[in-house]
Every structure is written in C-alpha cells, then in structure tokens.
Amino acid sequence: SAVIKMSGGKIKNFDTSVIQELLNKQIIPVLSGDVSFDDKRGISIISGDTFATYLAKYLHANRVIFASDVDGVFTQDPNRFPTAKLIPEITNKNYQEIIGGVQGSASKIDVGGGMRGKLQEIRALARGVEVWIVNGERKGIISKILNGEEIKGTKIFI
C-alpha cells in the first residue's frame, strides 16, 4: 500500500523499485491484495490479480502464474456444479465466448471479481504474456509449468 497510488480504483503510480531490486537478487516477491491511497475515493482495494497483471506488463514478463483453489477456468463454478468442465486454453478466438459464461466471485471478500475479474485484468494488462491459472494446492504445479511439463490448468494467451 505504500508503493501504489490509485485514482478512481485504477493504478496511477506504482513504485516498482523494491520489486525490481528483489528480482535482481533472484528473490521472488510474493504479493497479495492490499488497501491503497486513492486520490478520488480516499482509499481503494488493489487485488493481487491487478498487481500481477500490472507487473507483467511493466516488467515485460514472459509468463504469469495465478495459483487458485481450483484447477483453472471452468464452464461453471466447479465447487457448486460437479459437471463443470475445465477450459484448458483461452485465446483471442474463444475469449468472448468464455468471458460471457464466466461468473464473478460468489465471495463477498473477493474484490478482484473472481475468475471473471481475473480474465478481464489479464486481457487489459497482460496481452502477449503466457498466463496460467492453476490449483496452487497441487504439489509441484509451479515447477511443472516452469519445466514445460503437462499440467491440469488453464493456459491463457491473448
């Protein structure tokens, strides 16, 4: 919250120098949502999804991995609908169809808008970046992605 200034709920200024310093020392920063000063609203909540997609664009990332509590993007909420099907890949060709069927968050504490909000952030800020949405509870999932192994998840390239 001390390094981000927002305006109307959008990032206005983000001092990324600490993050860049950590990366230069080969330390991977772990970020999560926080409260931030907003020159129009007083305060705003910045989601971890917004952090990640903004930094992906700013730092020219090749890949972003979102760890969730589900295996990726589904046709319906897999926690409520056992027949929901995993969508293995999202591209420009199927984005509109998928975003039309994906819901926001059912949780009142998820300010990022759930899977729908995550996809919208990715499209707005992380174009041209390989993005993965995976189940962070699966052992070894991150290293498997980094090693190019086949995994259960959703790959997004928009």
Side-chain angles (χ1 to χ4, degrees):
S1 63
V3 298
I4 294 179
K5 187 178 198 180
M6 298 179 75
S7 184
K10 303 286 183 198
I11 294 174
K12 181 177 181 178
N13 185 305
F14 189 158
D15 179 2
T16 61
S17 61
V18 173
I19 293 166
Q20 288 175 317
E21 221 173 297
L22 289 168
L23 293 172
N24 290 342
K25 295 178 189 236
Q26 298 187 356
I27 299 171
I28 299 173
V30 177
L31 307 170
S32 63
D34 204 347
V35 177
S36 184
F37 173 74
D38 189 306
D39 64 10
K40 291 184 180 173
R41 298 178 178 172
I43 62 165
S44 282
I45 305 294
I46 182 161
S47 74
D49 298 345
T50 302
F51 268 124
T53 51
Y54 179 91
L55 288 171
K57 180 180 179 180
Y58 182 81
L59 298 173
H60 308 289
N62 295 327
R63 184 181 302 136
V64 174
I65 303 168
F66 288 99
S68 181
D69 63 342
V70 294
D71 288 326
V73 180
F74 284 79
T75 55
Q76 295 176 292
D77 181 348
N79 295 316
R80 294 181 23 215
F81 300 96
T83 59
K85 293 184 177 25
L86 177 68
I87 300 167
E89 188 172 78
I90 299 174
T91 65
N92 281 323
K93 289 182 182 178
N94 64 357
Y95 176 82
Q96 289 301 333
E97 175 188 343
I98 289 167
I99 197 71
V102 174
Q103 300 172 338
S105 177
S107 170
K108 292 180 181 174
I109 60 169
D110 184 352
V111 298
M115 219 39 102
R116 182 181 186 86
K118 192 180 306 297
L119 290 175
Q120 289 169 330
E121 286 285 342
I122 291 166
R123 187 157 199 229
L125 295 174
R127 288 181 178 265
V129 176
E130 179 184 303
V131 178
W132 285 90
I133 300 176
V134 297
N135 188 333
E137 296 174 1
R138 289 191 181 272
K139 187 176 181 178
I141 192 86
I142 304 299
S143 61
K144 286 180 182 178
I145 292 170
L146 295 175
N147 290 321
E149 296 176 36
E150 193 169 317
I151 56 101
K152 187 173 187 179
T154 300
K155 179 181 178 182
I156 303 165
F157 193 78
I158 297 175

